Amino acid sequence: MADNSKREQIILADIALVEMVTGIKTVKRTIPTLAVLDNFAVTQMPVAAVVGRLPVPKNHFAKRDGQVDFIVSNLKVDVYVFFQENESMDSELSSLLDDMWVAAYTDPKRGGLTMNTWLECNELPEWLSPYYAFQITINHQYQHLPGGI
């Protein structure tokens, strides 16, 4: 993993953002299987998985000599949140979603790493009995050099 790539820096900034959400107890970089979720203690739930997709170049800007100067790409970072089924699942989902929303828009430029950030929610939460899950996609538009992502 290129620790110095802008892609990685943006993903790490999103992980730090998710870790700041008070309702989230555990943050991982991979989507856990049901067997893995079963190994988490109740005190470690909800669990969030933060997974970066590949950047999609949207535009490039060239110097007068035709060499590419920089590229503008979109990067999607998916956040999957898993918690245990209970009588107040919908209320818990609302609370977690609200906290994630506030955190994501507190610094939409991620300290200057991105040009713009916006959220998309998967409209339909999933029941993976005995777990309840929802997904938020954090979209970033960012500028990078042609020699790296």
Side-chain angles (χ1 to χ4, degrees), residues 20-34:
M20 290 188 314
V21 174
T22 55
I24 303 293
K25 303 296 183 205
T26 306
V27 179
K28 297 289 186 184
R29 290 267 326 238
T30 58
I31 301 171
T33 63
L34 287 175

Side-chain angles (χ1 to χ4, degrees), residues 4-116:
N4 60 344
S5 76
K6 257 210 170 158
R7 175 188 179 271
E8 183 65 12
Q9 291 174 37
I10 293 167
I11 294 168
L12 291 174
D14 284 345
I15 289 170
L17 173 145
V18 173
E19 288 174 338
M20 290 188 314
V21 174
T22 55
I24 303 293
K25 303 296 183 205
T26 306
V27 179
K28 297 289 186 184
R29 290 267 326 238
T30 58
I31 301 171
T33 63
L34 287 175
V36 169
L37 285 172
D38 288 341
N39 290 325
F40 285 104
V42 174
T43 56
Q44 294 176 298
M45 299 291 275
V47 173
V50 181
V51 182
R53 297 189 201 178
L54 297 176
V56 177
K58 293 297 180 182
N59 206 344
H60 69 277
F61 298 88
K63 298 177 185 176
R64 287 184 182 197
D65 63 5
Q67 296 290 324
V68 173
D69 193 25
F70 64 90
I71 299 167
V72 174
S73 293
N74 286 351
L75 174 65
K76 292 185 177 205
V77 179
D78 295 314
V79 180
Y80 302 89
V81 180
F82 302 88
F83 53 98
Q84 292 186 321
E85 290 179 320
N86 58 52
E87 291 180 10
S88 61
M89 288 184 303
D90 194 54
S91 177
E92 188 172 352
L93 182 145
S94 291
S95 179
L96 287 169
L97 185 58
D98 187 61
D99 290 348
M100 297 266 310
W101 204 275
V102 169
Y105 286 115
T106 296
D107 179 14
K109 294 195 177 185
R110 299 296 182 269
L113 290 171
T114 68
M115 300 162 56
N116 196 9

